[in-house]
Amino acid sequence: QVQLVESGGGLVQAGGSLRLSCAISGRTFSRYALAWFRQAPGKERDFVASIGWNGDSTDYANSVKGRFTISRNNAKNTVYLEMSNLKPEDTAVYYCAADKRTYRTAQAVSTTLTTETADWGQGTHVTVSS
């Protein structure tokens, strides 16, 4: 059974930092692009960041560029999202996703990952207070 388990969420003041982790099990990892999405209350799920299958490419939503960094550790089957200078508008449930297609770049998956084309975690809640 494929499982993606996010952790690291919590309550933080504006300007603070958090690092989210997503541990992936039940499937191979190293040949697949990975991504983070988020869903704010009452909003659609939005793309946040992605990293290509070999780690050479990354892509970020404009709203988080310069503040968030996605990385991966294939040996640990884990993808990370380092978040700094957090803003209240970053408040959301953050989901990690693993592509179901091999060898794709970050740019290729940033707009194509869906419930059918990726495996998804249950999410971790990030709340940024003003």
Side-chain angles (χ1 to χ4, degrees), residues 20-41:
L20 306 182
S21 299
C22 176
I24 303 170
S25 62
R27 57 162 287 174
T28 56
F29 187 89
S30 63
R31 294 172 294 176
Y32 298 86
L34 306 168
W36 287 92
F37 287 70
R38 67 187 181 187
Q39 187 169 23

Side-chain angles (χ1 to χ4, degrees), residues 33-40 43-52 57-65 67-68 70 81 89-90 92-97 105-114 120:
L34 306 168
W36 287 92
F37 287 70
R38 67 187 181 187
Q39 187 169 23
K43 304 294 184 180
E44 297 180 344
R45 184 166 59 188
D46 292 327
F47 168 76
V48 176
S50 59
I51 186 166
S57 60
T58 57
D59 197 17
Y60 297 92
N62 288 335
S63 59
V64 306
K65 286 182 178 178
R67 301 189 298 119
F68 290 13
I70 187 171
L81 184 69
E89 53 263 42
D90 295 320
V93 177
Y94 284 71
Y95 300 89
C96 63
T105 67
Q107 290 75 18
V109 304
S110 63
T111 60
T112 60
L113 295 187
T114 67
W120 296 84

Side-chain angles (χ1 to χ4, degrees), residues 10-11 23 35 45 60 64-65 70-71 74 91 98 103 109 114 116-118 125:
L11 175 64
R45 184 166 59 188
Y60 297 92
V64 306
K65 286 182 178 178
I70 187 171
S71 62
N74 289 350
T91 295
Y103 304 120
V109 304
T114 67
E116 295 181 350
T117 61
H125 204 166

Side-chain angles (χ1 to χ4, degrees), residues 75-109:
K76 297 182 178 180
N77 269 27
T78 302
V79 59
Y80 305 95
L81 184 69
E82 296 183 355
M83 306 182 294
S84 62
N85 192 24
L86 284 162
K87 305 177 184 296
E89 53 263 42
D90 295 320
T91 295
V93 177
Y94 284 71
Y95 300 89
C96 63
D99 195 8
K100 291 185 177 180
R101 301 283 191 179
T102 56
Y103 304 120
R104 295 215 289 170
T105 67
Q107 290 75 18
V109 304

